[in-house]
Amino acid sequence: MSRHNGLLSSSSASRIPAEVWAEIFTFALPYPLAVSSFERALYRPSEVPWNVSHACSFWRRTTLCCSCLWSHDTIHIGNDCLALKDPVSLVKARLERARYRGCHFTWALSVYRGRNGALAQELFQVLIHYSTCWESVTLRVLFLSVDCINSLRGALPMLRSLHLTYDAGSKLTAFEACPLLERLVLAGSAGFEIQSGFPWVQLREFIDRRTRSFSDEDAIATYYQNILTSSLNLEQLQVTNTMIPALRKPVSHQKLSYLCICNAEFLRGLSLPALQQLMIDSTFYDSTPQPEDINTILLALFTSSDGCPHLEYLLVTDAFPDLDLIHVFQAIPTLKRLSMRYEHLDEATVELLPLIILALSTFDDTDPWLELVLDAPDYNSIKFHLLPGLESFEMQFRWHPDVPNIDSLVSGIGLVQMLCVRYVLPEHPLLQDACFIFASKEIEQPPEEVLGLYQKLKKHGLNVNIELHTRQLETDGMNMRSLLADEEEDEDEVDG
């Protein structure tokens, strides 16, 4: 400060209005989209208003009048908060200086003994006093009384986002009357028997991370049946820890555009005309196998009366690469991003995978595909039969001891052919990204000419990434290396 006293006391600085100083102070706050998580940790945005207010008396007066500085970041109340000298006064001062602007806080306390228990209750009472300005809240109610939570009913007019970890068996009613609530995240082990306490009709995003607990399939199916029929404005649904069985009655939802689930059974009887992104990823739920007729389920969804005319992204796990899968691709010509993951492999799957690759590389032109790489002539007449607008393609395989190594797929000419004919297309959109991840017991290097073609594609601008996960028998660790990265390093050494 001594080096800058002249600047701060100069006539030019003193003539700057307090409103301008307040605007300058806001630049000390990081923007999540503009800085990395590491830089954000260095900034410690929760400390910015405190640090600025200790510079001088004028800055302190200005900071105390700038409510946006105090309401910008999330207040995290965890066990480390209880170790502070006077956490209650600090939280109260922060909320008072925010002047009832939107309040964002995370309640993650798990220690409720002795002094800490009384201190935790006092902290929560302070938050309850400012409940009318709650806007984004992460709340763990495991050690809070249900009556204490339910006392907030009707006192949450600004709440827009709620992340609730809820393990108790009693019904919560505090959040039924939240007129602005649009985003709901549930975690914990609360059962599915009771459809409790949330304004489903107005929700736009629902993320369910609860474990299945002791709920049976009928209770789970009924629960999600009611959600889809009552949440008419729901646009995003994500269920990561629960295998949802087929619904008991057909359901048509007109606004759901994003769906992430563990198993395809949930799609039986569904009609989703607004769907844009569909992810069926069993890795969320301990890699449970998908139903054998997953392709039939997908085909029924895509070819229903409403269909999915806007689908742009599909992530599917363990879809058997047979003729039905080709029919699935034919039913979704709008697809731009495709991710195929195989967690449970057998020999039949490995044998048919090259046929799917070849099917993705077919086109109307009869010229040799290799010319597309070597000379790149004008191919305006090329028209793909499958996924004509594909921009991103990913394949991922998990190693299985009973199945022969599948990393030879990357060495096959069919995969290179598919990338070549799709990348050199002069029309928009072009294939932009391709990622192949192989988990195998032993590494088999692709032939030099195949690696050379991959390198040529990469130098021409295609973002192609080929990685091998190698299981080391002497250790339990997993090593990963990119074949293309190794090839580039070798070239650099030669050039050097």
Side-chain angles (χ1 to χ4, degrees):
M1 285 297 296
S2 59
R3 291 185 301 172
H4 299 287
N5 280 335
L7 175 63
L8 294 176
S9 60
S10 64
S11 57
S12 58
S14 62
R15 289 198 300 268
I16 298 178
E19 294 81 2
V20 177
W21 279 113
E23 183 68 21
I24 294 174
F25 295 157
T26 59
F27 285 94
L29 298 170
Y31 293 90
L33 298 179
V35 297
S36 64
S37 58
F38 175 73
E39 292 172 322
R40 188 171 174 82
L42 292 179
Y43 274 107
R44 299 182 67 86
S46 59
E47 297 182 2
V48 167
W50 303 101
N51 295 336
V52 174
S53 64
H54 283 74
C56 64
S57 59
F58 176 71
W59 280 23
R60 177 174 177 80
R61 291 193 302 272
T62 304
T63 304
L64 293 179
C65 296
C66 187
S67 58
C68 63
L69 288 176
W70 303 95
S71 63
H72 175 83
D73 198 50
T74 300
I75 303 174
H76 180 79
I77 303 178
N79 294 335
D80 54 343
C81 181
L82 300 180
L84 298 176
K85 184 177 181 180
D86 190 2
V88 175
S89 297
L90 290 175
V91 173
K92 186 181 295 184
R94 177 83 178 269
L95 294 172
E96 287 177 352
R97 294 169 184 178
R99 286 176 177 78
Y100 290 93
R101 293 174 65 99
C103 172
H104 312 267
F105 75 87
T106 296
W107 180 270
L109 288 176
S110 60
V111 178
Y112 285 77
R113 297 187 182 94
R115 173 184 175 273
N116 287 341
L119 192 58
Q121 293 295 333
E122 189 175 357
L123 277 171
F124 197 72
Q125 289 301 319
V126 172
L127 293 173
I128 288 179
H129 180 73
Y130 290 90
S131 62
T132 55
C133 64
W134 288 9
E135 186 171 330
S136 176
V137 172
T138 299
L139 190 62
R140 179 171 181 166
V141 300
L142 181 61
F143 298 102
L144 295 172
S145 67
V146 175
D147 293 338
C148 181
I149 300 295
N150 287 339
S151 66
L152 295 169
R153 181 180 174 88
L156 302 170
M158 294 180 60
L159 187 62
R160 296 179 180 273
S161 176
L162 173 64
H163 186 153
L164 189 65
T165 301
Y166 177 44
D167 300 319
S170 302
K171 181 179 179 180
L172 290 178
T173 60
F175 307 105
E176 291 178 342
C178 298
L180 300 182
L181 186 62
E182 294 183 341
R183 184 178 187 268
L184 174 63
V185 182
L186 293 182
S189 59
F192 295 86
E193 287 76 11
I194 301 176
Q195 177 116 9
S196 61
F198 305 103
W200 296 104
V201 69
Q202 68 193 46
L203 289 183
R204 296 185 179 274
E205 181 179 358
F206 177 42
I207 301 175
D208 196 344
R209 296 174 181 163
R210 291 175 295 173
T211 56
R212 180 170 176 170
S213 185
F214 298 102
S215 302
D216 58 20
E217 290 189 355
D218 288 336
I220 296 176
T222 302
Y223 183 85
Y224 285 102
Q225 181 99 33
N226 293 335
I227 285 179
L228 289 179
T229 54
S230 59
S231 305
L232 302 180
N233 293 305
L234 193 65
E235 297 176 356
Q236 300 185 35
L237 174 61
Q238 180 177 337
V239 185
T240 57
N241 292 328
T242 301
M243 302 291 285
I244 311 175
L247 302 183
R248 299 302 179 252
K249 298 179 181 179
V251 175
S252 177
H253 200 288
Q254 301 299 313
K255 290 190 176 182
L256 193 66
S257 61
Y258 176 95
L259 178 61
C260 179
I261 52 179
C262 300
N263 66 319
E265 286 287 343
F266 179 57
L267 298 176
R268 295 185 189 271
L270 278 183
S271 178
L272 305 172
L275 193 63
Q276 297 180 13
Q277 300 184 56
L278 174 60
M279 284 169 279
I280 308 172
D281 193 353
S282 59
T283 57
F284 289 128
Y285 194 78
D286 197 25
S287 299
T288 303
Q290 294 294 331
E292 294 183 357
D293 60 341
I294 179 174
N295 294 338
T296 304
I297 297 174
L298 290 173
L299 192 60
L301 173 66
F302 298 150
T303 59
S304 62
S305 58
D306 293 329
C308 296
H310 307 291
L311 190 68
E312 295 185 353
Y313 176 49
L314 174 63
L315 186 155
V316 59
T317 305
D318 291 336
F320 191 72
D322 57 5
L323 186 60
D324 287 339
L325 185 58
I326 293 180
H327 292 159
V328 169
F329 292 158
Q330 289 175 337
I332 46 176
T334 58
L335 200 70
K336 294 182 178 179
R337 297 159 54 202
L338 173 63
S339 179
M340 301 174 64
R341 300 181 181 179
Y342 289 93
E343 298 290 326
H344 303 85
L345 286 170
D346 54 30
E347 293 186 9
T349 303
V350 175
E351 290 177 358
L352 289 177
L353 277 171
L355 299 179
I356 291 294
I357 298 297
L358 289 174
L360 288 172
S361 65
T362 57
F363 54 94
D364 293 338
D365 201 284
T366 58
D367 291 327
W369 65 269
L370 193 58
E371 292 185 8
L372 293 171
V373 180
L374 301 178
D375 303 321
D378 186 13
Y379 277 86
N380 291 314
S381 61
I382 293 180
K383 296 186 182 298
F384 291 106
H385 300 301
L386 292 178
L387 308 181
L390 192 65
E391 297 179 359
S392 177
F393 180 61
E394 176 198 34
M395 296 189 76
Q396 184 171 335
F397 306 91
R398 184 185 293 271
W399 173 79
H400 195 279
D402 298 329
V403 178
N405 290 336
I406 60 172
D407 48 348
S408 59
L409 180 65
V410 76
S411 304
I413 208 68
L415 189 57
V416 183
Q417 173 180 346
M418 190 273 289
L419 296 180
C420 291
V421 297
R422 285 185 173 272
Y423 177 65
V424 189
L425 263 179
E427 301 173 354
H428 183 80
L430 299 175
L431 185 67
Q432 300 170 1
D433 300 281
C435 180
F436 306 96
I437 301 177
F438 298 85
S440 59
K441 188 176 181 180
E442 299 176 355
I443 291 181
E444 295 181 2
Q445 286 282 7
E448 291 296 329
E449 61 272 16
V450 176
L451 272 181
L453 290 174
Y454 283 126
Q455 283 293 342
K456 177 169 285 191
L457 285 170
K458 195 167 185 178
K459 289 179 179 178
H460 277 78
L462 177 63
N463 183 24
V464 56
N465 184 29
I466 303 173
E467 296 176 352
L468 294 178
H469 297 252
T470 309
R471 182 178 295 275
Q472 302 292 335
L473 299 182
E474 64 274 9
T475 64
D476 293 329
M478 296 290 289
N479 293 334
M480 182 198 305
R481 68 190 184 102
S482 172
L483 294 179
L484 298 186
D486 292 343
E487 184 75 10
E488 288 174 347
E489 291 175 1
D490 294 340
E491 288 183 357
D492 293 340
E493 293 177 359
V494 172
D495 294 340

